[in-house]
Amino acid sequence: MQDFAYHRPRSIADAVSLRRSAADGSYLAGGMTLIPTLKQRLAAPSDLVDLGALGELAGVRLESGMMTIGAMTRHAVVAASQDARRAIPALAALAGQIGDAQVRNRGTIGGSVANSDPAADYPAAVIALGATIRTDRREIAADGYFRGLFETALEPGELIREIAFPVPARAAYRKFRHPASRYAVAGVFVADFGGSRVRVGVTGAGPCAFRWSALEHALSSALDPAAANGAPLDHGRFNSDLAASAEFRAQLVRVMAKRALESLSG
Amino acid sequence: MNAMIGQPVRRREDVRFITGRGRYTDDISLAGQGYAAFARSPYARARIVSIDTTGAKTTPGVVGVFTGADLTAAGIGALPCGWLVKSTDGSDMKVAPRPPLAATQVNFVGEPYAIVVGETLAAARAGVDALEADFEELEASANLASAMEGVQIHDGIERNLSFHWALGDAAAVDAAFARAKHLTTLTFANNRLIPNAIEPRACVAAYDAASDEITLYTTSQNPHLERLILAAFVGLAPEHKLRVVSPDVGGGFGSKIFVYPEETAAAWAARALNRPVKWTAERSESFLSDAHGRDHLTTAELALDDAGTFLGLRVRTRANLGAYLSTFGSSVPTYLYGTLLAGQYCTPAIHVEVDGVYTNTAPVDAYRGAGRPEATYVIERIVETAARELGVDPAELRRRNFIQPDQFPYETPVALVYDTGDYQQSLERAQKLADVAGFPARRAAAAAKGLRRGLGYSCYIEACGLAPSQLAISLGAGVGLYESGEIRVNPTGSVTVFTGSHSHGQGHETTFAQVVAGKFGIPIEQVEVVHGDTGRVEFGLGTYGSRSLAVGGSALVKSADKIIEKGRRISGHLMETAPDQVDFEDGVYKARGTNRRMTFGEVALAAYVPANFPEGLEPGLSEKTFYDPKNFTYPAGAHIAEVEVDPETGVVKVVAFTAVDDFGTVINPMIVEGQVHGGVAQGIGQALLELGAYDESGQLVTGSFMDYAMPRADDLPSFSVDTTVTPCTHNPLGAKGCGEAGAIGAPAAVMNAVTDALGVKDVAMPASPERVWRALRGA
Ligand SMILES: Cc1cc2nc3c(=O)[nH]c(=O)nc-3n(C[C@H](O)[C@H](O)[C@H](O)COP(=O)(O)OP(=O)(O)OC[C@H]3O[C@@H](n4cnc5c(N)ncnc54)[C@H](O)[C@@H]3O)c2cc1C
């Protein structure tokens, strides 16, 4: 790890300005992703702006059909949140399946969504629920947010404040865990908003999370889990690694989607 | 006789381990120590054009920078391989010298080429970053399958072949195959594993200028061997000027048997700098530089007659040695593998040929089981496959071919003489425990849920208790394989035991204390076990190959017997009774036919305060033994795995695992059960999860726990374990060894179950979801 200047601002405004004035700064949330990259010296930022003291960034709020989760809310907090478990139990369950207990007690939703790891879980929910990412400067819709491998619509220094999830009628998440890391090799989040409005978010399979529109279309006529077997799914740009080839990932996406849909109807 | 034998005494060492008071190498810090970091090759194969150390030397806080050239100039030699294997043409294996720090060429990713010592670890690492090494990257041979046809790695070693070794009677096998009615053939890989002990390798070395002595604290399974090799072969220091201490060691699984570059370079640097030097591997360094395990490509053919009797077995193996021969790298795929290919069966003709092949990968050496898991996998996979092809129940086919209890001692066609065993008994016990009879119903119930259920056997045998020294040396071993055991009875009657075995998780401080306390009839609290220090223990060959109790424990029994005998003379003298009229029972010497008696403690005191002592007897009560076993021991058993496969995702779940093992006499059943659990977990890991993978260019693809899947608790079922006992016939404890059985037996059982579930002939290990899914689609 290289030396860096450490800051622990007390306000969002200070955080953003510290980050802006740094030569090569980085926000620090739970550190579960960032610290290992520092240790391996894959990154060597000049300044770390720790968001840990910004109490206003943490917490789960439920109001008028919207569940809002502050960027600094730990996975374990979402998993245990009564509001989350009542309003969107699939989202609470998703949080409870991230990594291991240590990771869940440190890692944050803001860090996860900012990072856009292709195998992260939250992005599937962000996509499927059509969430809104609220930053220090604007609101970004889920559909345009994830841009590619570790790439998002965030501008340099832009700070995620919170993420607002519309509450669906029902939802489910199914994840195929990587045998070693336990990240998602394929994860599918389905959200049913009623009136044949179903959204499907897929993570793990491609360079970043995406909507499986062809399946959504098939489901709009009938909410039949078997639709996942046949809906067009192009795995041409899917990830391929030791854990799963692109072709096998496509199979897993179908199976996870089918099982998520089955648990919806079941 | 020995009341402590068979008692599930709680592990005494665990109190310090689980309360954070263990003393591991990294816990040891010496005044003024510097910290070492290593510069490691980013290439699988490259010529070192030049290394400019200027930047490193001027990095703030750096106190020393040394390269391979420095070590060579100081006369530090190559790290030797301790077992000379000969090729079929009579020539010696070809050894590529392995300098502790590469000087002219690097041959695997992670090979160290420089050591930097800093006031702090950060300074040392900054120094490594400031090194300017100019490499000329060369084409690599990183793939075992093509390495013999690939680019030549080392000068003078054509086809990258170190040895072509064979064992058995080829003509007899050919004749058997000519007579055969049925032939079963299998070709498969035994996957490369990365050991991953929880404690990474570490060392702290100190030089004492006054005595010219080096003390090396290091994570070793055999500190005396480490000292011997560093003194006699590497030339680090004369043996009497080198002390090697291996304190608490957090797991080894074989990977800490070997002498590695890092502790060699660190110890040398400590003297060069005249200050202590400490190094602790990071996990990613462990992945790259610990000796890996297994990695074979094998074709096996089994010839059978009409009745399913085995006639002959032919095995061809290509074994990956890695870039260099590690300390025992040559013995593992030869003598620890080929000699086991008879398994539990009366196969009359066996022939095995092994090509030991260099590749541009980390050296491969013993890993829990070492050769025997590979052998068991060959036999038990092909036997199960033959049974399926013949339509015979796999247990029945085994039964027909088992060596029968009245055939012992049984000489195999591959150079071993099994002393005792009862294979039928363990198989039957395992079948009952596993409720094999109820399997069809369980399979049907799984099918109703859309799952495929399978059952697989593995009836393994292993040769443990390495080894009769003369035999081992005649086969190429560079050292004897006896063990030393010394017992000092203190004047107050407490006992200090010095063993050359080493405990790195096995619980010797409990088991050995049980043996000795039971012998003397004293409370176990009165026995202290000392191991892992060449300055305290006379000599030792360390712990591996499940040898500690059978060899090291036997040495202690012999020493205890000598002490008891001496006590008989002392007490007889004091009780005015002839020694042969003195009985020793439950810690008390009794003059037969009288009420005169002396406790063990009283005799101890008398030995050190010899006011009235037998004529000609030396005072004191301390004895030692070098115990050299007459034969190997042959633990064996039957493992049964039951798996459920999700055909849509290819996920294999081990739903039940039964192990019935014959370890001979069991001293502490709780510790034995723990050893079986750990071994089975590693065996299941090999079957389903673990793969050390290099890409074609020789980069390690699975270099962290993000990619290398170790088995976790939720990957495993609750094991059902039991033992049968046929005591070893040639050591005083009757013990055979239990440390590796799980890792040896489990992979074949699991893979037999997986292939049974899928209805396919073979799936490669690890049976990953994708492989299983593809196997099903192909079926
Ligand atoms: C062993 C292990 C297992 C894991 N398993 C899983 C898993 O199964 N599923 C899964 O989804 N994840 C998994 N993770 C990742 C984990 O969920 C982390 O929480 C996540 O990677 C990042 O969150 P963090 O709070 O730790 O962010 P940090 O590591 O602190 O930061 C990550 C990046 O996001 C930026 N950032 C952080 N907060 C903000 C913000 N509010 N606004 C803008 N930028 C910000 C940082 O600057 C940095 O670039 C695992 C991690 C580990 C170490």
Side-chain angles (χ1 to χ4, degrees):
Chain A
M1 201 179 292
Q2 311 283 38
D3 280 349
F4 51 81
Y6 174 78
H7 312 276
R8 196 171 164 87
R10 298 277 156 185
S11 74
I12 292 176
D14 282 355
V16 173
S17 86
L18 277 165
R19 170 78 173 77
R20 184 173 298 136
S21 54
D24 177 21
S26 188
Y27 293 124
L28 173 66
M32 291 292 93
T33 296
L34 186 55
I35 302 282
T37 57
L38 300 186
K39 282 197 189 167
Q40 291 164 32
R41 287 179 293 173
L42 297 172
S46 60
D47 296 72
L48 280 193
V49 181
D50 186 348
L51 308 179
L54 304 178
E56 61 202 293
L57 290 188
V60 178
R61 259 178 13 247
L62 184 60
E63 50 201 15
S64 52
M66 201 60 103
M67 194 171 79
T68 307
I69 304 180
M72 283 301 289
T73 314
R74 317 279 176 187
H75 307 328
V77 170
V78 176
S81 153
Q82 285 308 324
D83 281 342
R85 292 166 74 152
R86 208 171 33 243
I88 320 180
L91 188 62
L94 173 152
Q97 287 177 48
I98 294 174
D100 49 43
Q102 290 90 330
V103 168
R104 290 193 292 276
N105 281 320
R106 292 294 308 162
T108 66
I109 190 169
S112 179
V113 172
N115 198 45
S116 183
D117 188 307
D121 293 295
Y122 270 128
V126 169
I127 292 277
L129 293 167
T132 301
I133 290 99
R134 297 187 180 137
T135 75
D136 64 306
R137 58 198 74 163
R138 58 182 170 147
E139 303 205 338
I140 309 172
D143 284 343
Y145 176 79
F146 296 105
R147 293 279 172 85
L149 195 67
F150 299 105
E151 217 188 296
T152 67
L154 292 177
E155 295 163 359
E158 189 167 4
L159 176 97
I160 299 180
R161 284 192 301 115
E162 60 190 21
I163 298 165
F165 295 93
V167 175
R170 44 192 193 153
Y173 180 62
R174 285 293 177 274
K175 165 188 189 178
F176 188 89
R177 293 189 312 184
H178 189 286
S181 74
R182 307 227 160 163
Y183 272 89
V185 175
V188 179
F189 199 104
V190 292
D192 176 10
F193 288 90
S196 11
R197 225 164 50 83
V198 178
R199 287 173 62 107
V200 181
V202 177
T203 193
C208 64
F210 62 89
R211 274 178 83 175
W212 186 1
S213 313
L215 178 59
E216 292 177 359
H217 183 74
L219 293 171
S220 64
S221 44
L223 222 151
D224 177 8
N229 294 332
L233 179 66
D234 177 10
H235 63 255
R237 284 183 61 229
F238 277 14
N239 309 319
S240 198
D241 55 30
L242 212 61
S245 66
E247 187 191 8
F248 183 52
R249 272 193 163 80
Q251 160 75 6
L252 292 175
V253 168
R254 290 186 186 284
V255 176
M256 293 304 114
K258 187 179 77 175
R259 291 183 183 175
L261 288 164
E262 280 166 356
S263 77
L264 269 188
S265 41
Chain B
M1 209 202 82
N2 186 330
M4 296 297 292
I5 288 184
Q7 298 302 314
V9 177
R10 293 233 186 130
R11 293 176 23 130
R12 313 154 87 200
E13 46 270 76
D14 284 353
V15 175
R16 71 173 188 277
F17 293 154
I18 62 183
T19 55
R21 284 179 288 161
R23 194 149 176 266
Y24 298 93
T25 299
D26 191 58
D27 294 324
I28 296 168
S29 283
L30 303 176
Q33 73 192 7
Y35 296 82
F38 287 89
R40 296 181 183 277
S41 171
Y43 302 109
R45 186 162 172 264
R47 196 170 68 81
I48 301 175
V49 179
S50 64
I51 302 174
D52 183 350
T53 57
T54 325
K57 283 180 172 151
T58 54
T59 299
V62 166
V63 298
V65 181
F66 305 104
T67 64
D70 295 317
L71 265 61
T72 309
I76 296 298
L79 303 178
C81 176
W83 198 302
L84 180 76
V85 164
K86 285 188 187 288
S87 286
T88 45
D89 65 5
S91 64
D92 288 351
M93 67 186 188
K94 299 193 176 60
V95 181
R98 180 187 189 186
L101 296 176
T104 56
Q105 185 171 313
V106 284
N107 289 308
F108 68 96
V109 171
E111 180 174 6
Y113 61 86
I115 178 174
V116 177
V117 183
E119 296 286 354
T120 63
L121 189 51
R125 292 201 177 130
V128 168
D129 282 349
L131 273 175
E132 284 181 38
D134 184 9
F135 290 102
E136 180 198 341
E137 191 178 357
L138 303 171
E139 196 189 329
S141 286
N143 185 326
L144 177 60
S146 57
M148 284 176 74
E149 296 76 40
V151 58
Q152 184 174 323
I153 298 169
H154 299 291
D155 284 345
I157 303 182
E158 283 168 20
R159 297 166 63 222
N160 296 318
L161 186 65
S162 176
F163 53 83
H164 173 82
W165 176 87
L167 184 67
D169 186 340
V173 169
D174 290 345
F177 275 68
R179 285 192 289 129
K181 287 283 163 351
H182 182 83
L183 212 66
T184 295
T185 304
L186 263 181
T187 295
F188 48 75
N190 199 291
N191 41 325
R192 177 184 279 246
L193 303 178
I194 302 178
N196 282 314
I198 197 162
E199 178 205 25
R201 287 190 294 119
C203 66
V204 192
Y207 175 66
D208 179 357
S211 63
D212 193 29
E213 267 178 32
I214 292 176
T215 301
L216 173 62
Y217 298 90
T218 189
T219 50
S220 174
Q221 299 179 212
N222 46 0
H224 288 86
L225 196 60
E226 172 111 20
R227 181 180 65 159
L228 175 61
I229 289 175
L230 287 175
F233 298 95
V234 180
L236 177 67
E239 203 172 4
H240 61 296
K241 294 290 188 188
L242 180 59
R243 176 176 165 206
V244 177
V245 186
S246 300
D248 287 334
V249 172
F253 311 114
S255 70
K256 292 172 182 168
I257 298 172
F258 322 120
V259 178
Y260 284 95
E262 289 86 356
E263 68 257 23
T264 309
W268 182 84
R271 185 172 55 201
L273 298 168
N274 195 16
R275 71 186 282 180
V277 172
K278 179 172 194 166
W279 171 75
T280 302
E282 300 207 337
R283 182 59 62 181
S284 44
E285 288 185 285
S286 304
F287 270 100
L288 289 172
S289 68
D290 288 2
H292 295 177
R294 319 277 193 262
D295 209 349
H296 287 190
L297 293 173
T298 293
T299 296
E301 300 162 278
L302 180 67
L304 303 96
D305 71 8
D306 275 340
T309 307
F310 304 161
L311 302 177
L313 176 68
R314 188 187 279 146
V315 178
R316 300 279 174 275
T317 291
R318 186 181 279 203
N320 200 340
L321 304 172
Y324 302 98
L325 279 169
S326 172
T327 315
F328 289 107
S330 54
S331 61
V332 175
T334 52
Y335 291 104
L336 295 180
Y337 167 69
T339 52
L340 271 302
L341 286 169
Q344 301 187 348
Y345 311 107
C346 298
T347 313
I350 298 173
H351 188 246
V352 50
E353 287 176 75
V354 179
D355 287 322
V357 179
Y358 288 108
T359 61
N360 290 112
T361 63
V364 178
D365 207 324
Y367 169 61
R368 200 172 194 169
R372 292 152 293 164
E374 296 91 315
T376 298
Y377 196 71
V378 170
I379 306 161
E380 290 305 291
R381 283 287 295 118
I382 202 160
V383 166
E384 191 104 357
T385 306
R388 288 175 193 161
E389 288 177 354
L390 293 171
V392 179
D393 174 64
E396 172 56 26
L397 188 70
R398 287 179 169 86
R399 220 170 266 137
R400 282 184 207 166
N401 288 282
F402 276 154
I403 300 161
Q404 298 301 315
D406 61 7
Q407 288 178 275
F408 294 103
Y410 176 84
E411 186 172 353
T412 73
V414 276
L416 295 179
V417 181
Y418 300 168
D419 62 335
T420 178
D422 187 342
Y423 309 136
Q424 175 83 16
Q425 193 196 6
S426 18
L427 177 58
E428 272 170 17
R429 182 86 60 88
Q431 286 186 300
K432 209 167 283 162
L433 261 183
D435 184 24
V436 171
F439 174 70
R442 295 194 293 278
R443 171 175 260 181
K449 290 186 288 179
L451 302 173
R452 289 172 172 247
R453 197 160 170 126
L455 182 143
Y457 293 91
S458 172
C459 293
Y460 73 93
I461 191 162
E462 44 171 332
C464 294
L466 269 59
S469 294
Q470 286 195 9
L471 174 64
I473 292 167
S474 76
L475 298 178
V479 288
L481 287 163
Y482 46 83
E483 193 51 276
S484 86
E486 180 180 357
I487 301 178
R488 290 184 207 157
V489 182
N490 304 309
T492 54
S494 67
V495 169
T496 311
V497 169
F498 299 84
T499 173
S501 297
H502 185 273
S503 184
H504 31 280
Q506 293 89 344
H508 296 168
E509 286 167 45
T510 305
T511 307
F512 285 13
Q514 267 180 266
V515 168
V516 172
K519 273 295 226 184
F520 295 151
I522 58 176
I524 194 168
E525 292 73 25
Q526 300 232 11
V527 181
E528 183 69 19
V529 177
V530 175
H531 63 90
D533 185 347
T534 63
R536 296 185 75 190
V537 178
E538 172 156 337
F539 196 69
L541 288 155
T543 287
Y544 38 83
S546 308
R547 68 192 300 271
S548 300
L549 185 65
V551 189
S554 292
L556 290 174
V557 170
K558 299 245 169 198
S559 292
D561 284 337
K562 292 178 195 171
I563 283 172
I564 290 168
E565 279 319 302
K566 185 167 180 183
R568 213 186 293 281
R569 291 183 64 188
I570 298 169
S571 62
H573 179 78
L574 291 170
M575 297 189 291
E576 296 173 345
T577 305
D580 62 0
Q581 296 298 306
V582 175
D583 297 317
F584 183 62
E585 273 169 32
D586 299 332
V588 181
Y589 288 95
K590 299 173 185 164
R592 203 172 299 151
T594 77
N595 64 356
R596 274 168 288 172
R597 48 195 56 202
M598 285 184 80
T599 65
F600 183 73
E602 288 167 339
V603 173
L605 191 62
Y608 288 92
V609 188
N612 180 5
F613 219 58
E615 179 114 359
L617 195 65
E618 288 176 18
L621 197 53
S622 164
E623 296 285 354
K624 64 189 175 202
T625 304
F626 280 73
Y627 176 76
D628 200 345
K630 292 193 202 61
N631 191 354
F632 295 91
T633 62
Y634 300 96
H639 291 184
I640 300 177
E642 215 167 303
V643 303
E644 261 178 12
V645 177
D646 176 345
E648 287 185 325
T649 60
V651 169
V652 177
K653 204 167 150 35
V654 181
V655 287
F657 196 96
T658 306
V660 175
D661 301 292
D662 178 357
F663 298 134
T665 307
V666 169
I667 309 295
N668 184 323
M670 183 198 67
I671 287 180
V672 165
E673 190 171 333
Q675 289 289 309
V676 173
H677 282 209
V680 169
Q682 282 174 310
I684 291 175
Q686 167 159 34
L688 298 181
L689 296 164
E690 298 183 45
L691 177 66
Y694 285 88
D695 66 16
E696 284 294 326
S697 73
Q699 293 293 331
L700 182 64
V701 183
T702 52
S704 83
F705 289 132
M706 296 304 271
D707 296 296
Y708 188 90
M710 293 290 283
R712 300 179 218 201
D714 66 351
D715 292 314
L716 306 167
S718 219
F719 306 134
S720 166
V721 309
D722 199 359
T723 51
T724 57
V725 179
T726 63
C728 169
T729 58
H730 56 80
N731 70 43
L733 282 166
K736 296 181 178 177
C738 68
E740 298 161 293
I744 292 170
V750 173
M751 294 310 294
N752 283 335
V754 170
T755 48
D756 180 46
L758 302 181
V760 300
K761 187 170 176 182
D762 191 35
V763 181
M765 290 195 291
S768 64
E770 177 155 9
R771 283 177 173 167
V772 169
W773 177 70
R774 287 192 183 279
L776 268 174
R777 288 214 310 173

